[in-house]
Amino acid sequence: MRKAIYPGSFDPITNGHLDIIARGCTLFDEVVVAVLNNPDKSSMFTVEERCEMLREVLPQASNCRIEVDSFQGLLVDYAKKKKAIAIVRGIRAISDYEYELQMALMNRRLAPELETIFLMSGEAFSYISSRLVKQIFNLGGKIEGLVPSLVEQRMTDKLASKTRRG
């Protein structure tokens, strides 16, 4: 069983994330989509909300098993615990590569048995990032086609809830 971890904040989940997951499924028998629980980072959605949305938007019929989970701490420790053989990372641009290379080399130093697999973003998703999606959304721009419709609705609900409270 070839298992890979696809870690990220997924705040919010974008169509680019879903593309990387689907493509990771062509390479591995199982992909664990691991939501990073970083208490120091201010997020739009809680870890639980992100996991719930991922479970709702991920394809049910896939050529591999997809598990949604969350983790805190070192990714390599989590990957070992899950008995993964690889970490999957998406690359959109050169700037992503520089950061991801540094992380991959550190992970290799910490866990030489664990491979990092870089998947280039599909052309249609190469400019999409969670940060940009949130920025556009918060400024009233349209995010249709950038995120699954369920995620767009949850973002709208979250903003409305925040507006009612504030």
Side-chain angles (χ1 to χ4, degrees), residues 113-138:
E113 70 282 4
L114 204 58
E115 288 294 337
T116 298
I117 308 296
F118 294 133
L119 294 178
M120 298 304 296
S121 280
E123 300 80 28
F125 309 109
S126 62
Y127 62 94
I128 301 173
S129 73
S130 294
R131 182 186 50 78
L132 276 177
V133 166
K134 284 189 286 196
Q135 188 175 23
I136 291 165
F137 179 78
N138 287 326

Side-chain angles (χ1 to χ4, degrees), residues 150-165:
L150 174 130
V151 173
E152 183 177 3
Q153 184 59 54
R154 296 274 176 90
M155 291 174 75
T156 301
D157 295 347
K158 183 73 79 169
L159 184 63
S161 153
K162 189 189 252 185
T163 304
R164 281 193 300 267
R165 280 186 280 139

Side-chain angles (χ1 to χ4, degrees), residues 80-150:
K80 286 178 191 177
K81 183 178 113 185
K82 294 303 254 180
K83 297 180 173 44
I85 63 167
I87 297 167
V88 172
R89 298 298 296 156
I91 303 283
R92 293 170 303 207
I94 296 293
S95 57
D96 285 349
Y97 178 74
E98 290 172 1
Y99 171 78
E100 293 296 343
L101 176 62
Q102 184 178 21
M103 294 301 295
L105 293 173
M106 182 56 75
N107 286 339
R108 182 183 293 161
R109 184 180 186 287
L110 295 171
E113 70 282 4
L114 204 58
E115 288 294 337
T116 298
I117 308 296
F118 294 133
L119 294 178
M120 298 304 296
S121 280
E123 300 80 28
F125 309 109
S126 62
Y127 62 94
I128 301 173
S129 73
S130 294
R131 182 186 50 78
L132 276 177
V133 166
K134 284 189 286 196
Q135 188 175 23
I136 291 165
F137 179 78
N138 287 326
L139 293 172
K142 294 189 182 293
I143 59 168
E144 182 180 343
L146 303 178
V147 298
S149 56
L150 174 130

